[in-house]
Amino acid sequence: MRVLTTLAALLLATTASAETCATGKTLKEGVLTVATGNPAYFPWVIDDAPESGQGFEAAVAYALAAEMGFGADQVEWTRTSFDQAIQPGAKEFDINLQQYSITPEREEMVDFSDPYYTSAMAVLTTKSVVEAGASADVASLKSLVWGADANTTAVPMLTDLIAPEKAPLLYDDNADVTAAMQAGQIDAALFDLPTALYLSAVVLNDGALLGQFPADRSENPDQFGMLMEKGSALKECVNAALASLKDSGKLAEIEAEWMQATTGVPLIK
Amino acid sequence: MGDLVLENVQKAFGDNPVIRGIDLNVARGEMICLIGASGSGKSTLLRCMNLLEPIDDGRILLDGEDISEPGRDPQPVRQRIGMVFQSYNLFPHMTALENAMLAPRRNLGKSKTELREPLAQMFERFGLGDRMNHYPDQLSGGQQQRVAIIRALAMQPEIMLFDEITSALDPELVGEVLDVLRDLRAQGMTMVLATHEMGFARELADKVCFLDQGRILEEGPPEQIFDTPKEERTRAFLSRVL
Amino acid sequence: MPTQTRRQMFEARQRRRANTIAAASTLAVFVAVIVLIPLTPGWENVQRSFFNGAVFAKTFPGLLNAFVMDVAIFLWCAPLIALLGLAVAIARDLRSPALYPLRLLAIAYTDIFRGLPVILVIYLIGFGIPGLGLPRPWNSPYIWGSLALILVYASYVAEVIRSGIESIHDSQRNAALSLGLSGSDTMRFVILPQAIRRVVPANMNLFVALQKDVALLSFIGPVEIFRQAGVYKSLMANFTPYVGAALIFLALTIPATRYADYLMNKQASARS
Ligand SMILES: Nc1ncnc2c1ncn2[C@@H]1O[C@H](COP(=O)(O)OP(=O)(O)OP(=O)(O)O)[C@@H](O)[C@H]1O
Ligand SMILES: [Mg+2]
């Protein structure tokens, strides 16, 4: 009998001590539901397996969860498309990490955390285009036929940064962009740098990176935020946890681990 | 010898023998009437003569030439033998005049202007002078059938085949179509008619053939067939229709 | 005022009653939709996401602009579809044994292309053929995407025309042949003009569907209205641009469908 009461008291004590900012604000009590893409790509998630914690966004998610008081076993993963992420009504996730760029227009409809990554935009192309004389300056880039993923902020940036002579062709996902490039229908495509690196190295047959736009080149650098339901109560907790990850140097550490290859790409003049 | 000669013509649809050995001579300027019960093979025989149906056995000779030879191009023969159907079969998307012009334009290479005058005369002659530019659905059955006859005549055929061309008409319209046939008869046109108009056959035919189950059971001048039929079946048929 | 017969008065009364009932029930449905839907708890969110006035105003001109591309693609595809469809329909009707291979090809073609989803054909041809290494401009997604649409839609048009050809009674063919017309003249001057007229409404419906499926070309790159709406949606995290695109489509397709129905009814009543 006494054992039982102590056990109950102990249990109460643990739950009481686990009282955190996020308590009562998540989809499921005691669980942080994190959304990623379907599929999720390198280097954001390695092998499409976010549970492993391998890959930049997977690692950030686990670090953030820990900071918010969730154990690794209290993180649950789900998958959404972009459209599911922004549809009205209750969301199926607490936070959604899919390289979503923060824009004022999007913020009217959904909430974003503070940025967890600032990406340069990079020009993905093929070796044959480079051999044909394309170079890393805006004048040369204007004359190329451009492609981009229609769901990304690369689209307005194309117009703002490069203003190509021919109307760009837009696609649903990375796979279609690379298919068009392989078919010779487009010369170049604009991606965030890590994605461009991955596509160039792994997916394209003779991929090449022509250069990157430094983050301060564009008016609003491409900053990735975690997407949440509009008016999410969790937002302050996420931001607080993110801030302490930044302060402690943990975020920089994760970035160094998964994004080190992003250095060494020439800047576009 | 006649100009269109059928020798032992046979035709079956599947294992249903419809024409079972018919011999017939159609001499130039002659008018022959085919009579017989429904299903006796009158239409099929006419269609064979026009090569719309290939025959199984026997021969059809036009001016001594075997036109029924398998593999022979039927088109030139059909240009020489015109045919008019029970259901008119005008082309509904063309005016009466265009219906009549199509075949001579395509087959004889004549121009519309060339054809207009003689055709207009023909329409006039058959009482359709003011109907030339009407579409078939704007014409009565009798008028449509007369246009169909003009259409066939426009090819200037040597022989005309008529398949019960008054059967689909209201009784009061039959007369105007028969008048056209009388007119053609007077011109000396060679004609073969399948008909139920016994009075008409008696009046004009040179020869009447009674078809029974795919055979010509009895043939002869109209008076003989109608007044003194030899065969019991002919008598039975005539007593039913007269 | 001319006096009405008893029957006319009765019918007028009936008409008035029917109109009143129709008006009342329509009104009731409208009121229910307009009043009740906004009362649902999620309405505000849905309205912000799908019926957002500010987003609509901002994106509508751009959508209209992109729609020009849809119209252009439609305009160059439609005549080619009609021609190919006609050719295939005729090829399917060939009787001459020497041309049997052509007939077989036409049958295989219609079977295959009617059996495939349009989007799959667009991907296969739009990415696949240029991937073989064609030089520019011959690898353009506009060319091959359009070809995909043409191939798919011509197979449907061919079937519709063929059904039209078969619906023409054999007596028409017989009448033409008995005049000594050749087989091809019979087809050209007698059968086809009637057949094509008969299937105009069915083909109109196909072309309305084509107008919508032009949007599928966006999957291989061209930025037409559907893609432009998607870009706006992505930038603003808002679905209103799709509603704008839908309105633009409807402005064209509803009149076209109504006209096709009108033709169909006219034809049905003409034939009865
Ligand atoms: N295309 C066909 N296929 C099969 N059977 C046919 C065909 N045409 C006719 N027949 C058959 O051949 C027989 C003779 O038909 P046909 O039309 O020649 O008769 P008919 O003497 O003209 O009759 P009616 O006075 O009714 O017009 C009938 O039994 C008919 O069913
Ligand atoms: Mg008959």
Side-chain angles (χ1 to χ4, degrees):
Chain A
M1 186 63 196
R2 192 188 294 160
V3 185
L4 242 152
T5 25
T6 26
L7 213 77
L10 215 79
L11 221 87
L12 267 171
T14 28
T15 33
S17 77
E19 179 77 40
T20 62
C21 171
T23 305
K25 296 173 184 170
T26 53
L27 211 57
K28 273 192 264 173
E29 196 46 55
V31 173
L32 185 67
T33 310
V34 185
T36 184
N38 191 14
Y41 290 107
F42 179 98
W44 312 104
V45 171
I46 307 297
D47 293 337
D48 195 22
E51 308 79 18
S52 65
Q54 305 282 298
F56 178 70
E57 283 179 346
V60 167
Y62 279 105
L64 186 89
E67 202 64 41
M68 291 169 72
F70 296 94
D73 54 341
Q74 289 172 299
V75 175
E76 278 184 12
W77 289 91
T78 181
R79 313 265 180 171
T80 73
S81 66
F82 179 77
D83 289 6
Q84 284 171 305
I86 62 165
Q87 78 187 16
K91 308 281 189 219
E92 300 292 315
F93 52 82
D94 292 315
I95 54 173
N96 196 331
L97 287 77
Q98 293 188 47
Q99 310 105 60
Y100 289 138
S101 305
I102 304 169
T103 71
E105 289 94 347
R106 286 178 175 178
E107 278 188 310
E108 304 242 311
M109 303 304 298
V110 290
D111 274 357
F112 285 105
S113 71
D114 293 335
Y116 59 89
Y117 184 73
T118 300
S119 168
M121 293 305 271
V123 176
L124 176 70
T125 183
T126 58
K127 295 203 176 79
S128 46
V129 173
V130 177
E131 278 155 22
S135 59
D137 57 277
V138 173
S140 160
L141 297 183
K142 269 187 193 304
S143 63
L144 300 179
V145 179
W146 281 87
D149 181 335
N151 289 315
T152 66
T153 48
V155 179
M157 284 194 181
L158 256 182
T159 336
D160 293 347
L161 296 177
I162 300 164
E165 287 156 13
K166 290 215 187 80
L169 297 170
L170 303 181
Y171 303 89
D172 278 314
D173 54 29
N174 300 347
D176 286 357
V177 180
T178 46
M181 197 170 287
Q182 217 91 73
Q185 292 172 326
I186 55 175
D187 297 319
L190 202 58
F191 282 107
D192 62 71
L193 183 51
T195 301
L197 274 168
Y198 163 70
L199 293 176
S200 145
V202 182
V203 181
L204 271 175
N205 279 339
D206 60 343
L209 276 198
L210 202 50
Q212 61 171 313
F213 287 95
D216 58 348
R217 169 79 184 242
S218 46
E219 277 180 6
N220 40 348
D222 211 20
Q223 295 189 311
F224 296 164
M226 302 173 196
L227 187 150
M228 286 164 278
E229 193 177 340
K230 182 80 185 162
S232 167
L234 202 60
K235 181 173 167 179
E236 47 167 338
C237 312
V238 171
N239 280 341
L242 203 53
S244 64
L245 280 182
K246 282 178 187 167
D247 291 346
S248 67
K250 177 81 177 147
L251 189 63
E253 227 173 81
I254 297 174
E255 189 175 320
E257 185 181 355
W258 298 107
M259 303 296 204
Q260 84 266 84
T262 56
T263 49
V265 176
L267 294 183
I268 291 168
K269 296 175 280 286
Chain B
M1 279 299 271
D3 290 321
L4 185 67
V5 177
L6 278 65
E7 291 177 355
N8 189 31
V9 168
Q10 304 191 24
K11 170 78 189 171
F13 291 109
D15 44 12
N16 174 22
V18 174
I19 303 295
R20 304 197 286 184
I22 283 191
D23 297 287
L24 183 68
N25 282 8
V26 185
R28 202 138 282 206
E30 223 178 17
M31 172 164 163
I32 296 181
C33 285
L34 308 176
I35 61 170
S38 179
S40 57
K42 304 181 294 291
S43 298
T44 306
L45 186 62
L46 290 176
R47 290 166 59 82
C48 288
M49 292 159 91
N50 193 246
L51 307 186
L52 282 175
E53 300 284 358
I55 62 172
D56 298 339
D57 213 344
R59 297 198 302 170
I60 302 176
L61 306 171
L62 182 60
D63 286 337
E65 204 184 330
D66 185 358
I67 57 170
S68 61
E69 200 182 333
R72 212 186 128 105
D73 180 10
Q75 207 188 330
V77 174
R78 292 186 188 135
Q79 294 179 8
R80 295 171 60 189
I81 305 180
M83 180 150 181
V84 182
F85 304 85
Q86 177 175 347
S87 51
Y88 337 133
N89 301 352
L90 291 181
F91 307 136
H93 58 298
M94 297 179 187
T95 63
L97 185 61
E98 286 164 351
N99 262 279
M101 279 179 168
L102 178 64
R105 280 180 61 208
R106 298 303 302 171
N107 295 336
L108 310 176
K110 292 194 177 165
S111 72
K112 280 188 186 184
T113 32
E114 218 175 325
L115 287 166
R116 183 175 303 272
E117 195 40 46
L119 281 177
Q121 273 175 22
M122 191 136 42
F123 276 95
E124 204 64 57
R125 187 171 122 209
F126 293 152
L128 291 168
D130 55 344
R131 290 285 183 274
M132 279 197 312
N133 295 313
H134 286 54
Y135 283 89
D137 61 5
Q138 299 167 318
L139 300 174
S140 74
Q143 290 168 336
Q144 288 191 55
Q145 194 58 292
R146 280 180 281 156
V147 174
I149 295 171
I150 295 173
R151 179 175 70 177
L153 290 174
M155 277 300 293
Q156 296 177 318
E158 299 158 34
I159 301 172
M160 285 284 286
L161 311 175
F162 297 92
D163 188 4
E164 294 190 35
I165 61 169
T166 56
S167 299
L169 296 178
D170 289 342
E172 73 267 26
L173 300 178
V174 170
E176 64 191 43
V177 173
L178 292 184
D179 283 344
V180 171
L181 295 183
R182 277 191 193 91
D183 187 330
L184 288 180
R185 176 89 179 97
Q187 307 264 319
M189 172 63 79
T190 311
M191 299 192 273
V192 182
L193 286 83
T195 185
H196 285 162
E197 297 291 333
M198 298 303 161
F200 180 76
R202 178 195 286 267
E203 170 195 339
L204 288 177
D206 293 303
K207 183 162 72 182
V208 174
C209 304
F210 173 66
L211 259 71
D212 182 62
Q213 294 176 358
R215 290 203 180 84
I216 295 180
L217 198 62
E218 196 170 351
E219 64 174 287
E223 309 79 49
Q224 180 194 320
I225 299 293
F226 289 118
D227 299 336
T228 55
K230 291 201 275 291
E231 299 289 334
E232 177 54 39
R233 297 181 70 97
T234 316
R235 274 199 293 276
F237 169 75
L238 288 173
S239 70
R240 262 184 286 125
V241 298
L242 286 178
Chain C
M1 194 182 134
T3 48
Q4 291 185 315
T5 63
R6 259 178 71 197
R7 157 136 235 115
Q8 280 170 331
M9 281 189 303
F10 171 76
E11 278 172 356
R13 233 179 9 253
Q14 289 288 80
R15 244 191 332 269
R16 269 200 301 280
R17 242 191 80 192
N19 286 345
T20 319
I21 292 173
S25 62
T26 311
L27 193 72
V29 170
F30 262 92
V31 166
V33 169
I34 290 170
V35 173
L36 293 183
I37 288 188
L39 291 180
T40 55
W43 167 244
E44 243 177 73
N45 286 333
V46 170
Q47 190 185 23
R48 236 159 34 94
S49 283
F50 285 90
F51 307 103
N52 190 317
V55 173
F56 186 86
K58 203 150 132 197
T59 56
F60 195 74
L63 291 175
L64 262 186
N65 214 16
F67 191 59
V68 174
M69 170 79 74
D70 293 80
V71 174
I73 294 173
F74 176 85
L75 286 182
W76 70 61
C77 284
L80 294 172
I81 288 170
L83 280 180
L84 181 61
L86 184 62
V88 172
I90 292 173
R92 281 203 69 161
D93 211 54
L94 290 174
R95 310 246 160 122
S96 147
L99 298 175
Y100 185 71
L102 205 61
R103 183 172 170 198
L104 204 66
L105 196 72
I107 293 173
Y109 160 75
T110 45
D111 281 359
I112 290 172
F113 280 90
R114 284 184 311 149
L116 290 174
V118 189
I119 183 63
L120 188 72
V121 180
I122 289 179
Y123 263 117
L124 276 178
I125 296 182
F127 279 153
I129 294 183
L132 299 177
L134 291 172
R136 262 189 220 145
W138 301 111
N139 66 0
S140 154
Y142 294 97
I143 296 179
W144 296 102
S146 301
L147 180 72
L149 279 181
I150 290 168
L151 286 176
V152 170
Y153 270 86
S155 70
Y156 285 101
V157 168
E159 278 306 289
V160 166
I161 294 181
R162 194 172 70 98
S163 76
I165 290 175
E166 280 173 6
S167 78
I168 303 300
H169 201 268
D170 232 19
S171 61
Q172 287 284 313
R173 191 188 293 269
N174 280 333
L177 292 178
S178 78
L179 288 169
L181 288 173
S182 67
S184 58
D185 274 358
T186 300
M187 185 50 104
R188 182 171 151 205
F189 292 100
V190 177
I191 309 293
L192 272 185
Q194 296 184 58
I196 287 173
R197 226 164 285 202
R198 208 168 274 191
V199 296
V200 161
N203 276 327
M204 283 276 298
N205 281 331
L206 278 180
F207 282 103
V208 169
L210 170 67
Q211 178 62 71
K212 291 181 292 178
D213 275 357
V214 162
L216 293 177
L217 241 59
S218 67
F219 281 85
I220 56 167
V223 183
E224 48 66 66
I225 187 169
F226 180 72
R227 173 62 79 209
Q228 187 62 57
V231 168
Y232 287 140
K233 168 213 71 185
S234 163
L235 292 183
M236 305 184 181
N238 194 302
F239 294 102
T240 306
Y242 281 136
V243 176
L247 288 179
I248 294 176
F249 269 116
L250 287 179
L252 210 76
T253 49
I254 288 186
T257 340
R258 301 302 327 160
Y259 185 62
D261 283 357
Y262 161 77
L263 286 182
M264 196 108 73
N265 283 338
K266 206 170 90 168
Q267 218 165 62
S269 61
R271 227 177 298 170
S272 64

